[in-house]
Amino acid sequence: MAGMAQAKRRTIRGSKTGRPIMVLLDLMGRRWTLRIIWELRGEALTSRALRERCDDISPTVLQTRVGELREAGFVELESPGGYQLSPLGRELLATILPLHGFADRWEKGRE
């Protein structure tokens, strides 16, 4: 049974240790990855709309990052609406939201 779970596990490019936290941090640490997740937090977006919200990220980089996020299970393609967070992506976003609150408090403390 463990062999079947291992066979189904997707490999994330760049991770060498195989430790789940390192795999996740490697993926999230790639330029634009967190921004894409953040911009998809409210609604599904087409590639064009997502690109505009990401300050005109290059189309090649956008497609690469979205492809990586889809492969990892965080983003899914909704036919007419574009890309959206999957249930797993929404769970990830929920773990990021406290960091957003911290960043706001940190910024106010710098004033």
Side-chain angles (χ1 to χ4, degrees), residues 36-37 40 66 69-70 73-77 83-86 89:
I36 291 167
I37 290 169
L40 290 174
V66 167
L69 288 167
R70 287 182 70 198
F74 296 117
V75 170
E76 55 194 18
L77 182 60
Y83 297 104
Q84 66 182 10
L85 292 177
S86 67

Side-chain angles (χ1 to χ4, degrees), residues 5-58:
Q6 192 75 344
K8 289 183 179 182
R9 180 179 290 170
R10 297 178 218 168
T11 303
I12 304 296
R13 181 189 59 79
S15 175
K16 295 182 180 165
T17 68
R19 292 184 203 130
I21 188 66
M22 293 298 123
V23 173
L24 182 62
L25 289 175
D26 180 58
L27 179 60
M28 294 301 114
R30 294 180 191 152
R31 186 168 183 172
W32 297 107
T33 300
L34 285 170
R35 178 69 182 268
I36 291 167
I37 290 169
W38 187 254
E39 296 302 339
L40 290 174
R41 73 190 181 282
E43 61 186 325
L45 296 172
T46 63
S47 288
R48 179 179 295 253
L50 185 54
R51 186 168 174 241
E52 289 170 3
R53 292 218 186 152
C54 289
D55 301 323
D56 290 321
I57 179 178
S58 81

Side-chain angles (χ1 to χ4, degrees), residues 60-106:
T60 303
V61 173
L62 177 64
Q63 291 309 310
T64 299
R65 292 298 174 261
V66 167
E68 291 168 346
L69 288 167
R70 287 182 70 198
E71 178 67 25
F74 296 117
V75 170
E76 55 194 18
L77 182 60
E78 182 183 276
S79 299
Y83 297 104
Q84 66 182 10
L85 292 177
S86 67
L88 188 63
R90 288 190 296 277
E91 185 178 346
L92 175 63
L93 178 66
T95 67
I96 295 169
L97 288 175
L99 188 58
H100 174 61
F102 175 83
D104 284 344
R105 291 187 303 279
W106 173 67

